[in-house]
Amino acid sequence: MTDYVYPNLDGDCKGHGTHVSGLIGSKTYGVAKKVQIHGLRVLDCTGSGWNSDIIAALDFITTYGSKPGVINMSLGGGVSSAMNSAVATAVSRGFVVVVAGGNNGDNACSYSPSSEPSAISVGATDSGDNKASWSNYGTCIDLFAPGASLQSWYFDGTVRTMSGTSMAAPVVAGLVALYLESNPTASPAQVAAALTAAAVSDKVL
């Protein structure tokens, strides 16, 4: 793990990142079970952080990361032009960026990075294909995916059930990884178009 918050701390101290990565690619709960995952810690043990650390991590990925690749960002905050610009730069350098739409029950265009058009912004549904009551919505949401009461691994080795667009985003990131496995030269725009074309319209209530 590359750490922008606790350089001397080994491993996850919150559980959120482990749960998210497990949904992307764990053998038990992952969508893309053979994906290679690299973790970058940008939030502290309480789940808080600075945009500057997140932007630095994005720059690190786009400088040293290999492609094809997908960046999952299960985080969010107020609208930030700097954050959105960093995401757009990552996309322009060939990385698909999947972001959580936010859990405010509000318009996703009012937050970052969910308001960045080049990212794939993901809202959350419940088990009945309803929009989760807390999920953000609006024109900045590209896709909805399951995000309510999903099971995955926790940092202490147990299995936990968690909810949020932070859980919906890695489901989509896993789908992106599977798509890139079969279409390794696809651009981020082509990947986004393929996923939205495969989605079912007017399904979420």
Side-chain angles (χ1 to χ4, degrees):
M1 178 190 294
T2 302
D3 200 322
Y4 288 84
V5 184
Y6 302 120
N8 299 317
L9 179 63
D10 184 27
D12 189 359
C13 61
K14 174 68 173 174
H16 182 269
T18 301
H19 198 276
V20 166
S21 60
L23 290 171
I24 295 173
S26 72
K27 292 181 180 179
T28 309
Y29 301 103
V31 175
K33 300 184 188 302
K34 296 182 179 180
V35 72
Q36 186 175 26
I37 296 176
H38 298 277
L40 285 81
R41 191 202 321 266
V42 295
L43 304 179
D44 64 22
C45 295
T46 69
S48 299
W50 299 95
N51 283 349
S52 57
D53 288 332
I54 300 168
I55 292 168
L58 286 168
D59 184 63
F60 178 89
I61 295 168
T62 58
T63 301
Y64 299 105
S66 58
K67 291 175 285 189
V70 54
I71 300 169
N72 182 81
M73 300 180 68
S74 288
L75 48 77
V79 170
S80 165
S81 59
M83 173 76 75
N84 286 3
S85 178
V87 170
T89 297
V91 173
S92 72
R93 293 179 179 175
F95 291 88
V96 181
V97 181
V98 179
V99 306
N103 304 328
N104 312 90
D106 195 5
N107 191 329
C109 297
S110 299
Y111 302 88
S112 287
S114 58
S115 57
E116 170 47 45
S118 63
I120 300 175
S121 297
V122 185
T125 58
D126 62 20
S127 59
D129 280 337
N130 303 296
K131 183 190 77 68
S133 60
W134 34 259
S135 175
N136 285 354
Y137 54 83
T139 58
C140 289
I141 295 292
D142 298 292
L143 296 169
F144 281 90
S149 301
L150 299 192
Q151 286 190 322
S152 184
W153 295 108
Y154 205 59
F155 75 106
D156 59 4
T158 62
V159 174
R160 294 288 182 93
T161 299
M162 298 178 70
S163 299
T165 55
S166 282
M167 284 66 248
V171 171
V172 174
L175 291 173
V176 169
L178 292 175
Y179 185 83
L180 288 173
E181 182 181 27
S182 301
N183 304 272
T185 62
S187 69
Q190 289 170 330
V191 173
L195 261 64
T196 52
V200 180
S201 299
D202 301 321
K203 178 66 174 177
V204 176
L205 301 177

